[in-house]
Amino acid sequence: FKVGYEKPNNVYGFSKLMMDNLAKKYMKFCDISIVGLRYFNVYGEREFYKNKTASTVIQFAHQVLNGNAPKLFEGSDKILRDFVYIEDVIQANIKACNPKQSGIYNIGTGIARSFQDISDIVQQELNTTYETIYIPNPFIGSYQFFTQANIDDTKEFLGYEPKYSLEDGIKAYIPNIKEIFEKMLTETIKTEVKNFLETLALAEKEIFCEETKDVGNGFRTRSLDTPFGRIENLKVPRTRYENFSPFFLEPYKRSLFTLDELIIAMYQGG
């Protein structure tokens, strides 16, 4: 994909091309540098806020960390993209501040890799060997099966040089992916425990709590310390909060609890 030889597949792509063309018109008579950067498939730290539109790197990794095999479209070994790591994107943005000439520049690695490659590299980095699950691709006919950035001009006029292969980028990203997964897991378990304890309280079971606060309607709110953090504002009936017994959640690092596992964990300490 070389700048100047575009063939947009959809309205979104067409709108981006029109923006580039408008910028090119201003380049002809403006004294200031004007640079447009076309990012290809970016992945890396701080993308998790995008949720389902985050890169397949983090999505595949979280599937695997959760004990599931990665799911790919059929023929994923033939679906190719130019995946570029965030550190290379940062490099490009910095160098775009001092270009040799104005222009529209591709930001990628110049090498197309498959989604199958991502899945295989993620499993290698996480030391897993799950059998990949292949599902039908519902987007055939409207799906882009190949992208690869031509970065010759980017190298010449910005001094850009990608430093991360797909293997290097995923390897660098894995610690952050694991950190995000652990935080998600902790929040999931805290929610499950809070719901479970409230259910126990409503069933008039004696539970361990502290810091009572009357909230009316026959309930108090309490706080609870657990191995994975503090649970605040736990609602319990006002008459059922004495004779406490601590519990421990040693299996808390597991991906998910079944209800039975949660009950066993709750009563391990007493």
Side-chain angles (χ1 to χ4, degrees), residues 247-265:
F247 63 84
F248 302 92
L249 287 174
E250 183 58 31
Y252 77 97
K253 291 184 178 179
R254 299 175 57 137
S255 58
L256 287 172
F257 284 116
T258 64
L259 183 59
D260 287 343
E261 289 172 330
L262 195 56
I263 292 172
I264 292 171

Side-chain angles (χ1 to χ4, degrees), residues 196-209 234-237 239-245 263 267:
F196 181 78
L197 290 175
E198 288 181 355
T199 300
L200 283 181
L202 289 172
E204 297 192 342
K205 299 285 184 180
E206 293 170 351
I207 59 176
F208 174 76
C209 304
L234 180 70
K235 285 179 64 176
V236 295
T239 58
R240 303 297 297 177
Y241 58 89
E242 62 273 8
N243 300 325
F244 308 133
S245 175
I263 292 172
Y267 284 94

Side-chain angles (χ1 to χ4, degrees), residues 13-251:
F14 180 79
S15 70
K16 296 298 183 183
L17 178 58
M18 292 304 99
M19 290 173 59
D20 289 347
N21 290 343
L22 181 61
K24 288 177 182 178
K25 288 185 178 181
Y26 280 95
M27 291 176 194
K28 294 177 181 178
F29 57 83
C30 282
D31 295 330
I32 62 173
S33 295
I34 299 177
V35 174
L37 302 181
R38 291 179 177 173
Y39 306 125
F40 278 62
N41 285 68
V42 182
Y43 66 97
E45 291 84 346
R46 301 188 181 182
E47 65 165 329
F48 187 62
Y49 74 92
K50 295 188 290 185
N51 200 2
K52 291 184 178 180
T53 61
S55 74
T56 51
V57 176
I58 191 169
Q59 294 194 50
F60 286 164
H62 280 183
Q63 287 176 22
V64 171
L65 286 170
N66 206 30
N68 299 315
K71 290 184 178 180
L72 278 72
F73 288 143
E74 294 171 347
S76 284
D77 58 328
K78 297 179 179 64
I79 303 175
L80 307 177
R81 294 279 191 279
D82 192 332
F83 300 100
V84 57
Y85 186 51
I86 187 63
E87 290 294 334
D88 281 331
V89 173
I90 292 170
Q91 174 206 162
N93 276 266
I94 293 172
K95 292 188 173 181
C97 295
N98 188 29
K100 293 180 181 178
Q101 72 174 41
S102 296
I104 307 298
Y105 300 104
N106 290 330
I107 307 302
T109 64
I111 301 172
R113 301 290 298 272
S114 72
F115 286 98
Q116 185 69 60
D117 287 338
I118 290 180
S119 177
D120 293 343
I121 296 168
V122 164
Q123 290 225 64
Q124 181 179 342
E125 289 297 327
L126 295 176
N127 296 314
T128 57
T129 56
Y130 293 114
E131 193 75 26
T132 302
I133 297 173
Y134 296 99
I135 59 177
N137 185 347
F139 304 110
I140 292 177
S142 61
Y143 199 69
Q144 201 165 22
F145 278 77
F146 178 81
T147 65
Q148 180 172 290
N150 182 315
I151 56 175
D152 292 343
D153 289 346
T154 318
K155 291 180 177 180
E156 181 178 355
F157 297 114
L158 296 188
Y160 167 77
E161 194 67 50
K163 300 182 184 303
Y164 288 82
S165 66
L166 186 59
E167 287 80 2
D168 293 336
I170 292 177
K171 185 178 185 69
Y173 192 13
I174 286 294
N176 180 248
I177 288 174
K178 288 181 176 179
E179 180 183 358
I180 291 171
F181 181 77
E182 288 294 332
K183 288 179 180 178
M184 289 172 52
L185 182 58
T186 295
E187 290 305 312
T188 298
I189 296 173
K190 286 176 72 172
T191 299
E192 291 292 331
V193 171
K194 182 176 180 180
N195 292 340
F196 181 78
L197 290 175
E198 288 181 355
T199 300
L200 283 181
L202 289 172
E204 297 192 342
K205 299 285 184 180
E206 293 170 351
I207 59 176
F208 174 76
C209 304
E210 60 183 36
E211 297 183 8
T212 179
K213 180 181 178 181
D214 200 324
V215 293
N217 297 322
F219 283 91
R220 295 177 183 267
T221 59
R222 297 183 166 276
S223 300
L224 181 68
D225 286 313
T226 74
F228 50 80
R230 189 171 181 82
I231 298 176
E232 304 286 351
N233 300 320
L234 180 70
K235 285 179 64 176
V236 295
R238 188 161 37 207
T239 58
R240 303 297 297 177
Y241 58 89
E242 62 273 8
N243 300 325
F244 308 133
S245 175
F247 63 84
F248 302 92
L249 287 174
E250 183 58 31

